[in-house]
Amino acid sequence: MFKWVFSSLVVVACLFGIVLLVTELPEKEQTAEPSPSFTVPDAPVDMAAAEQIYKSNCLSCHGDQLQGRVGPELARVGSEMAKEQIYKQIAQGGGGMPKYENKLSEEQLIILTNWLASKQ
Ligand code: HEC
């Protein structure tokens, strides 16, 4: 008799464990995800527009040939950083670089990002 009670307790405990696993797992996956992800749309690179924006905003720190001055070289930045990282760096700045989300329009930020992403 005691054995029966004991084994049914074990079964109940196992079921409880399974239910916990099933209900907990999806939550963990969600918290493991990186902060709200976004993608920069693939637009045809408007070279002239990008270079114009670059010249008036970025050249002083990154150089006329993207060779870098106060800021790092950007000549191969497209192979070193993901487009989303490039966009974020320009929009939010950081590490000595000013942010441009208030100075440039969304469209200008995307043009610049796609232009830099093509520098590989
Ligand atoms: C006042 C100087 C300054 C200006 C102006 C500036 N940057 Fe920067 N930029 C920096 C510095 C300094 C860093 C390095 C930041 C770091 O290491 O965290 C940097 C980093 C970057 C990076 C990341 C490169 C890497 O290898 O980590 C990108 C991309 C970039 N800048 C693009 C731009 C663009 C595009 C503009 C113009 C809209 C611009 N920057 C204007 C100083 C500047």
Side-chain angles (χ1 to χ4, degrees), residues 3-19:
K3 265 188 193 165
W4 278 104
V5 173
F6 184 70
S7 49
S8 51
L9 270 182
V10 171
V11 169
V12 168
C14 283
L15 284 178
F16 188 64
I18 291 170
V19 169

Side-chain angles (χ1 to χ4, degrees), residues 53-54 57-62 70-74 77 80-81 85-86 89-90 94-98 100 104 109 112 115-116:
I53 306 165
Y54 179 85
N57 295 280
C58 326
L59 183 145
S60 54
C61 288
H62 291 284
V70 182
E73 182 201 327
L74 297 178
V77 71
E80 287 155 9
M81 291 172 82
Q85 291 176 293
I86 298 177
Q89 177 71 35
I90 305 172
M97 175 169 153
Y100 285 88
L104 298 174
L109 288 174
L112 258 184
W115 179 65
L116 283 176

